PDB file of all heavy atoms in Angstrom:
ATOM      1  N   GLY E 254      28.106 -47.497  -9.703  1.00 87.00           N
ATOM      2  CA  GLY E 254      29.547 -47.406  -9.854  1.00 87.00           C
ATOM      3  C   GLY E 254      30.234 -47.941  -8.616  1.00 87.00           C
ATOM      4  O   GLY E 254      29.959 -49.061  -8.176  1.00 87.00           O
ATOM      5  N   ASN E 255      31.092 -47.134  -8.041  1.00 90.00           N
ATOM      6  CA  ASN E 255      31.773 -47.606  -6.818  1.00 90.00           C
ATOM      7  C   ASN E 255      31.040 -47.136  -5.541  1.00 90.00           C
ATOM      8  O   ASN E 255      31.611 -47.095  -4.469  1.00 90.00           O
ATOM      9  CB  ASN E 255      33.239 -47.162  -6.804  1.00 90.00           C
ATOM     10  CG  ASN E 255      33.382 -45.659  -6.734  1.00 90.00           C
ATOM     11  OD1 ASN E 255      32.417 -44.939  -6.995  1.00 90.00           O
ATOM     12  ND2 ASN E 255      34.562 -45.201  -6.368  1.00 90.00           N
ATOM     13  N   LYS E 256      29.783 -46.769  -5.726  1.00 92.00           N
ATOM     14  CA  LYS E 256      28.992 -46.354  -4.553  1.00 92.00           C
ATOM     15  C   LYS E 256      27.955 -47.425  -4.233  1.00 92.00           C
ATOM     16  O   LYS E 256      27.114 -47.751  -5.077  1.00 92.00           O
ATOM     17  CB  LYS E 256      28.304 -45.013  -4.809  1.00 92.00           C
ATOM     18  CG  LYS E 256      29.287 -43.850  -4.764  1.00 92.00           C
ATOM     19  CD  LYS E 256      28.640 -42.571  -5.150  1.00 92.00           C
ATOM     20  CE  LYS E 256      29.686 -41.450  -5.162  1.00 92.00           C
ATOM     21  NZ  LYS E 256      29.263 -40.329  -5.946  1.00 92.00           N
ATOM     22  N   LEU E 257      28.037 -47.958  -3.015  1.00 92.00           N
ATOM     23  CA  LEU E 257      27.074 -48.976  -2.584  1.00 92.00           C
ATOM     24  C   LEU E 257      26.099 -48.347  -1.596  1.00 92.00           C
ATOM     25  O   LEU E 257      26.499 -47.518  -0.776  1.00 92.00           O
ATOM     26  CB  LEU E 257      27.799 -50.126  -1.883  1.00 92.00           C
ATOM     27  CG  LEU E 257      28.900 -50.831  -2.675  1.00 92.00           C
ATOM     28  CD1 LEU E 257      29.512 -51.950  -1.820  1.00 92.00           C
ATOM     29  CD2 LEU E 257      28.347 -51.413  -3.966  1.00 92.00           C
ATOM     30  N   VAL E 258      24.847 -48.726  -1.702  1.00 92.00           N
ATOM     31  CA  VAL E 258      23.842 -48.180  -0.782  1.00 92.00           C
ATOM     32  C   VAL E 258      23.298 -49.304   0.097  1.00 92.00           C
ATOM     33  O   VAL E 258      22.922 -50.371  -0.407  1.00 92.00           O
ATOM     34  CB  VAL E 258      22.692 -47.498  -1.557  1.00 92.00           C
ATOM     35  CG1 VAL E 258      21.627 -46.977  -0.596  1.00 92.00           C
ATOM     36  CG2 VAL E 258      23.232 -46.355  -2.414  1.00 92.00           C
ATOM     37  N   PHE E 259      23.309 -49.038   1.427  1.00 92.00           N
ATOM     38  CA  PHE E 259      22.812 -50.017   2.400  1.00 92.00           C
ATOM     39  C   PHE E 259      21.638 -49.414   3.165  1.00 92.00           C
ATOM     40  O   PHE E 259      21.580 -48.208   3.363  1.00 92.00           O
ATOM     41  CB  PHE E 259      23.919 -50.391   3.405  1.00 92.00           C
ATOM     42  CG  PHE E 259      25.091 -51.069   2.761  1.00 92.00           C
ATOM     43  CD1 PHE E 259      26.154 -50.325   2.259  1.00 92.00           C
ATOM     44  CD2 PHE E 259      25.136 -52.460   2.660  1.00 92.00           C
ATOM     45  CE1 PHE E 259      27.232 -50.937   1.658  1.00 92.00           C
ATOM     46  CE2 PHE E 259      26.226 -53.074   2.046  1.00 92.00           C
ATOM     47  CZ  PHE E 259      27.275 -52.317   1.550  1.00 92.00           C
ATOM     48  N   LYS E 260      20.733 -50.310   3.581  1.00 91.00           N
ATOM     49  CA  LYS E 260      19.568 -49.872   4.355  1.00 91.00           C
ATOM     50  C   LYS E 260      19.787 -50.308   5.798  1.00 91.00           C
ATOM     51  O   LYS E 260      20.023 -51.508   6.047  1.00 91.00           O
ATOM     52  CB  LYS E 260      18.327 -50.591   3.816  1.00 91.00           C
ATOM     53  CG  LYS E 260      17.135 -49.703   3.642  1.00 91.00           C
ATOM     54  CD  LYS E 260      15.967 -50.480   3.117  1.00 91.00           C
ATOM     55  CE  LYS E 260      15.691 -50.135   1.670  1.00 91.00           C
ATOM     56  NZ  LYS E 260      14.527 -50.861   1.139  1.00 91.00           N
ATOM     57  N   VAL E 261      19.753 -49.375   6.766  1.00 89.00           N
ATOM     58  CA  VAL E 261      19.896 -49.760   8.179  1.00 89.00           C
ATOM     59  C   VAL E 261      18.721 -49.188   8.973  1.00 89.00           C
ATOM     60  O   VAL E 261      18.108 -48.195   8.553  1.00 89.00           O
ATOM     61  CB  VAL E 261      21.239 -49.269   8.793  1.00 89.00           C
ATOM     62  CG1 VAL E 261      22.423 -49.971   8.157  1.00 89.00           C
ATOM     63  CG2 VAL E 261      21.370 -47.761   8.673  1.00 89.00           C
ATOM     64  N   ALA E 262      18.438 -49.806  10.099  1.00 86.00           N
ATOM     65  CA  ALA E 262      17.253 -49.429  10.874  1.00 86.00           C
ATOM     66  C   ALA E 262      17.434 -48.142  11.659  1.00 86.00           C
ATOM     67  O   ALA E 262      16.475 -47.414  11.909  1.00 86.00           O
ATOM     68  CB  ALA E 262      16.876 -50.562  11.816  1.00 86.00           C
ATOM     69  N   SER E 263      18.674 -47.857  12.075  1.00 85.00           N
ATOM     70  CA  SER E 263      18.901 -46.629  12.842  1.00 85.00           C
ATOM     71  C   SER E 263      20.331 -46.151  12.631  1.00 85.00           C
ATOM     72  O   SER E 263      21.163 -46.880  12.089  1.00 85.00           O
ATOM     73  CB  SER E 263      18.652 -46.877  14.328  1.00 85.00           C
ATOM     74  OG  SER E 263      19.709 -47.665  14.839  1.00 85.00           O
ATOM     75  N   LYS E 264      20.586 -44.935  13.073  1.00 83.00           N
ATOM     76  CA  LYS E 264      21.921 -44.360  12.918  1.00 83.00           C
ATOM     77  C   LYS E 264      22.969 -45.178  13.666  1.00 83.00           C
ATOM     78  O   LYS E 264      24.128 -45.238  13.282  1.00 83.00           O
ATOM     79  CB  LYS E 264      21.912 -42.916  13.443  1.00 83.00           C
ATOM     80  CG  LYS E 264      21.489 -41.918  12.393  1.00 83.00           C
ATOM     81  CD  LYS E 264      21.857 -40.516  12.768  1.00 83.00           C
ATOM     82  CE  LYS E 264      20.784 -39.908  13.642  1.00 83.00           C
ATOM     83  NZ  LYS E 264      20.920 -38.465  13.826  1.00 83.00           N
ATOM     84  N   GLU E 265      22.506 -45.818  14.765  1.00 86.00           N
ATOM     85  CA  GLU E 265      23.428 -46.587  15.603  1.00 86.00           C
ATOM     86  C   GLU E 265      24.034 -47.776  14.860  1.00 86.00           C
ATOM     87  O   GLU E 265      25.091 -48.276  15.230  1.00 86.00           O
ATOM     88  CB  GLU E 265      22.702 -47.087  16.867  1.00 86.00           C
ATOM     89  CG  GLU E 265      22.429 -46.015  17.901  1.00 86.00           C
ATOM     90  CD  GLU E 265      21.420 -44.968  17.422  1.00 86.00           C
ATOM     91  OE1 GLU E 265      20.446 -45.338  16.731  1.00 86.00           O
ATOM     92  OE2 GLU E 265      21.635 -43.766  17.712  1.00 86.00           O
TER      93      GLU E 265
END
Side-chain angles (χ1 to χ4, degrees):
Chain E
N255 65 344
K256 286 174 183 160
L257 303 180
V258 178
F259 297 89
K260 224 180 252 181
V261 293
S263 72
K264 273 197 275 192
E265 286 67 38

